[in-house]
Amino acid sequence: MRRTSPTGLRPLPIGRPTGHMPRRPRRRGWRRLIPTWRLTLLGLVASVLLGVGLFVIGMTVVKVPDAHAAATAQSNTWLYQDGTLIARTGQTNRQNVGLDKVSPAAQHAALAAEDRNFYNEGAVNVKGLTRAAINTATGKTTQGGSTITQQYVKNTYLTQKQTISRKVKELFISLKVDATQSKDEILAGYLNTAYYGRGAYGIQAAAQAYFGVDATELDPAQGAYLATLLNAPSAYDVSTATAKGKQDAVNRWNYVLDGMVQENWLTADQRAAVTFPKVNEPKSSPGLSGQAGYLVGAATDYLTSHGIVSDAELAQGGYTITLTVDAKREQQLQDAVQQQLTDNLSPDRRKKDADAQAGAASVDPKTGAVVALYGGTDATKHWVNNATRQDYQAGSTFKAIALAAALDSGARTQDGVRISPDTLYDGTSRRPVVGGSGTPYAPPNEGGVSYGRVTLQQATDWSVNSVFAQLAQDTGLEKVRQTAVAMGVPADTPGLSPHPSIPLGTATPSVLEMAGVYATLDNDGQQITPWIVKSLQHEGEQVKLPSPKTTQAISKETAQAVTTMLQGVVSDPGGTGYRAQALGRPVAGKTGTTDNSRSVWFVGYTPELVTSVALFGQDPSSGAQVTLDGVGGVSAAAGGKFPTQVWTAYMKSALAGQPISDFDGSSADNPLLSGPSGGSDTSTAPSDGTASGTATPKASPSATDSSPSAAPTGSGDSGGPSGDSSPTSRPTPRPTPSRTATPRPDPTTQPPTEPTTQPVPGPSGQPNGQSQNGG
């Protein structure tokens, strides 16, 4: 219906009341979301007023508290998993000095490391804080955004806790301190409260702890090193750090010196003349003697490297740290080293015996928890932890990784035949590797022994270098490296690059890390990085710890297949690890003997427990790596001797009373344990590099190809601990399921045969880039 106006002159619009004025068009779509300029201006003004108000309130409410003294730091309590006391730490070493008592070089080094613009900036570096916040939020490397003023305030008035409230207080107190104290006073306060490690608070205590001099005597090299420690004291202490930690410390030291040059605090010529300083050995408190210091050190490294607590936080104390280490098994491991090694050493009578350093670690394969650790004779006398050091080659213990890489990847020989334990290889010493590129590689077997045609199983039992060099080439060197990393070898481990000698163990993982690698095999291919801290409390409050991460590094079938093969190392009467048969349980493991016998290993496991034992040759005066030959009266050191004996003695006591169980998985059902033709796979290339078909393995390896009846002597792992030519008796070998191996004759019936030709040194420092690691 159409409405009309009262006058009847024109119709009224339907739905609109009489006298209503037309409305403005509505803002449509996305434009409705944009505030007007009036609202924007109002919001900005309100934000500024709010910010000013909060700042005024903060400056009014937040007071500068009384300075807390580092001397009031509490002790830390370290416990075994059952609550038994390991040690208490927390002794504070501090001595305040004026800035005039700190050498200019040391002052400039601290500024170059921490805050190069200190004298020209305010208390707070807004740009640095913003950058640090963005990096943290985006998951990048944590980067400090604090000025020296802020760090001084944190050290002097607050705690090391990373909380928002603490950071807010730090900002306001820093502003007040900057307004009331001179830059020199703040710098002096910072240098006197900073933590440098070794229990040393302040630069004077640090100068004495690391160099035995007063702070006023510090030269540029020493000052730069102390400034380096401010970044990560325990990780950068070159006397105790890992190989990576030492390199990181040197890199940071160079960074500090370069900064001093950039800021004109050091000339280029002076910089060129600076060499890395000699750092004094640390001194430990009596409470950290024996194994306690090694356990505390390993737990500290775990906490700080995982970002759970910092060195400074631990130094302030109040923590109760419970380790995963079992007190009983820890004592059993110490007893095994004492009885099987130390009691056989006589440094006064045999000088070589002083060169022996033992390290061991025992891990629960199902959880990754460290249950026992042996770091050396005494942490107050030998500071380097032999269980966690990363500077000695792993030798033939690495061959287990090469096996896993080959089986897990379905690798094939140069002839295209899938690799299995029955694959035939040429075990001739110095046989050139086929299929590689670049520098020819032909490693010698231990003692120069040639084994002729052998199965991969036999090559594993007898640790034949030439076979494993070809195996790695058939698998792919990069694949071997990737498998090592997946199984637990840190990617930055020295010597882990994919070079032809990688399967022979030129990499230098620690004893603990190798225990973790073999735990991956024992745990059906699931990798768990070993961990040592069970719980952490601070002043009665529980601190959350990261949960151990489990990854499937290799397939279950691969892990079980390699485990079956490694049982042959022990069960074969000629196997390099035959002494472990004395345990009386199913055992899988691998020995290792490195170039010039600088380190010898045995890493072995049962279904319940994995233990890694190594012996390192180290000159007690210079710290240089030396041969272990002659130690304990044994002419030729090998992994099958002292390390296997220590392993067996420890495992006997650690597993006493537990039921005997076999490894999971039936070899008959594992497709990786037999070739497609029932175990008659062919391999490539005898020593002349040409391919060949199936051949019958020689029953007796020989020192030269022309003497097939000579007994094998290559591994060097069969001699008795006192140099006897043969043991009194050997246990009857347990047959390897679904395969038969030609027994190797007793390798102790004649002395080792040396290679007839000395290798030519190559660019890597090893013979022609090669490793002679064996056994």
Side-chain angles (χ1 to χ4, degrees), residues 209-230:
Y210 289 93
F211 302 113
V213 300
D214 290 329
T216 189
E217 303 173 58
L218 291 168
D219 60 30
Q222 295 168 330
Y225 179 70
L226 293 185
T228 294
L229 291 171
L230 294 169

Side-chain angles (χ1 to χ4, degrees), residues 370-739:
V370 178
V371 299
L373 194 77
Y374 184 88
T377 54
D378 190 327
T380 63
K381 300 175 182 177
H382 176 75
W383 261 87
V384 177
N385 189 332
N386 294 331
T388 58
R389 66 190 304 170
Q390 296 173 310
D391 54 347
Y392 280 84
Q393 294 182 346
S396 292
T397 59
F398 205 93
K399 290 174 181 173
I401 297 173
L403 287 175
L407 297 181
D408 201 56
S409 64
R412 295 178 177 270
T413 67
Q414 299 294 306
D415 290 341
V417 178
R418 182 175 62 79
I419 294 171
S420 77
D422 301 308
T423 302
L424 290 173
Y425 275 97
D426 186 348
T428 302
S429 184
R430 298 188 182 281
R431 170 194 176 280
V433 171
V434 177
S437 60
T439 305
Y441 185 58
N445 293 330
E446 181 77 9
V449 176
S450 288
Y451 294 85
R453 303 287 284 176
V454 294
T455 65
L456 182 56
Q457 177 65 59
Q458 291 170 316
T460 302
D461 297 350
W462 306 339
S463 204
V464 183
N465 287 344
S466 56
V467 170
F468 275 87
Q470 185 62 56
L471 176 72
Q473 191 64 58
D474 293 345
T475 304
L477 302 178
E478 177 59 25
K479 178 60 181 177
V480 175
R481 190 199 72 83
Q482 292 173 358
T483 302
V485 173
M487 293 178 68
V489 178
D492 57 2
T493 300
L496 193 59
S497 58
H499 48 69
S501 59
I502 187 173
L504 308 188
T506 52
T508 60
S510 70
V511 169
L512 178 58
E513 288 162 351
M514 286 306 290
V517 167
Y518 277 63
T520 301
L521 297 172
D522 204 0
N523 195 28
D524 288 338
Q526 297 182 85
Q527 191 271 334
I528 308 174
T529 301
W531 50 286
I532 195 169
V533 178
K534 178 182 177 182
S535 67
L536 179 68
Q537 288 185 337
H538 184 247
E539 297 179 348
E541 295 184 8
Q542 200 73 29
V543 178
K544 185 177 181 180
L545 298 175
S547 299
K549 182 180 179 182
T550 302
T551 58
Q552 193 72 41
I554 55 177
S555 72
K556 179 178 180 180
E557 291 75 17
T558 297
Q560 293 180 354
V562 174
T563 294
T564 299
M565 294 185 70
L566 294 183
Q567 290 180 72
V569 175
V570 176
S571 63
D572 186 333
T576 58
Y578 76 88
R579 280 186 177 84
Q581 292 180 42
L583 180 60
R585 294 170 178 265
V587 175
K590 187 70 187 76
T591 56
T593 303
T594 64
D595 286 352
N596 200 30
S597 301
R598 292 185 180 93
S599 61
V600 291
W601 299 65
F602 183 67
V603 188
Y605 55 101
T606 67
E608 304 84 6
L609 198 59
V610 180
T611 301
S612 175
V613 181
L615 200 60
F616 305 126
Q618 182 176 19
D619 186 290
S621 300
S622 67
Q625 295 189 14
V626 296
T627 182
L628 288 164
D629 292 342
V631 168
V634 179
S635 58
K641 297 178 183 176
F642 285 124
T644 305
Q645 292 167 204
V646 171
W647 184 95
T648 305
Y650 163 70
M651 294 290 279
K652 273 186 177 180
S653 56
L655 298 176
Q658 295 191 27
I660 296 176
S661 57
D662 210 337
F663 292 101
D664 292 337
S666 169
S667 59
D669 298 331
N670 194 325
L672 300 180
L673 288 173
S674 62
S677 58
S680 59
D681 290 354
T682 58
S683 177
T684 59
S687 57
D688 61 2
T690 60
S692 65
T694 304
T696 303
K698 294 181 182 180
S700 304
S702 60
T704 63
D705 289 337
S706 60
S707 55
S709 62
T713 59
S715 72
D717 282 345
S718 301
S722 59
D724 296 339
S725 61
S726 62
T728 304
S729 62
R730 293 188 184 178
T732 302
R734 191 167 71 90
T736 305
S738 76
R739 293 190 312 285

Side-chain angles (χ1 to χ4, degrees), residues 23-111:
R23 292 181 298 180
R24 290 185 179 181
R26 293 183 180 179
R27 301 176 71 192
R28 296 178 179 179
W30 58 270
R31 296 179 63 188
R32 298 166 65 183
L33 302 176
I34 302 177
T36 65
W37 67 270
R38 291 185 181 87
L39 289 175
T40 302
L41 180 60
L42 182 61
L44 289 174
V45 172
S47 297
V48 170
L49 292 176
L50 178 62
V52 171
L54 291 175
F55 179 81
V56 172
I57 292 173
M59 291 295 288
T60 303
V61 172
V62 178
K63 305 294 184 182
V64 178
D66 293 333
H68 68 73
T72 64
Q74 304 174 64
S75 64
N76 291 321
T77 302
W78 307 80
L79 306 172
Y80 287 108
Q81 64 166 309
D82 63 355
T84 305
L85 180 67
I86 297 174
R88 284 193 176 91
T89 61
Q91 181 180 358
T92 299
N93 177 17
R94 178 181 175 185
Q95 181 181 351
N96 287 340
V97 293
L99 199 59
D100 60 330
K101 300 298 183 182
V102 180
S103 71
Q107 295 180 44
H108 292 150
L111 294 172

